[in-house]
Amino acid sequence: MITGYFNYWVVIILMMMGFYIVISDSNLIKKIIGLNIFQTSVFILFISMSKVKGGTAPILIAEADVYSNPLPHVLILTAIVVGVSTSALGLAIIARIHRAYGTVDETVIHEQDDLQDEN
């Protein structure tokens, strides 16, 4: 039973790892990495669900009775491009934050902001 759902167990483990990294760590770069791990688990989930057992590519041939839908795979390719772009933008913003505050630690940034608000 467990081996039949191996892909889904991998998705759950990756999803929880990514979520834990995002909520537990105060380093902004590690948060981006956690979001990427979470995003990868969603990609694996969509691809695992879209695979039809015994299905072939949707090319009309006489021997094929069951076809796999290529749309989820195309959507995942688009999501990968969007994910890479989002990660690049997030890292660029983190680089700007590092230039302004001298750190990428979220707690130190909040402390510095609180000190500036008091002055």
Side-chain angles (χ1 to χ4, degrees), residues 45-58:
L45 176 68
F46 270 82
I47 291 173
S48 295
M49 290 187 332
S50 67
K51 176 64 179 129
V52 176
K53 192 171 191 174
T56 62

Side-chain angles (χ1 to χ4, degrees), residues 96-105 108-109 112:
R96 180 66 180 109
I97 289 171
H98 184 267
R99 192 175 309 132
Y101 290 95
T103 184
V104 293
D105 194 341
V108 175
I109 293 169
Q112 288 181 9

Side-chain angles (χ1 to χ4, degrees), residues 2-63:
I2 291 176
T3 58
Y5 297 107
F6 179 73
N7 291 351
Y8 299 106
W9 286 108
V10 169
V11 167
I12 291 169
I13 290 169
L14 285 175
M15 197 172 279
M16 292 301 106
M17 282 174 46
F19 184 65
Y20 178 75
I21 291 170
V22 169
I23 64 171
S24 69
D25 208 329
S26 62
N27 188 327
L28 296 175
I29 294 175
K30 289 181 182 178
K31 285 184 182 276
I32 294 288
I33 292 170
L35 286 172
N36 284 336
I37 292 171
F38 192 91
Q39 185 178 34
T40 302
S41 71
V42 174
F43 296 162
I44 294 171
L45 176 68
F46 270 82
I47 291 173
S48 295
M49 290 187 332
S50 67
K51 176 64 179 129
V52 176
K53 192 171 191 174
T56 62
I59 300 170
L60 296 177
I61 54 176
E63 297 85 28

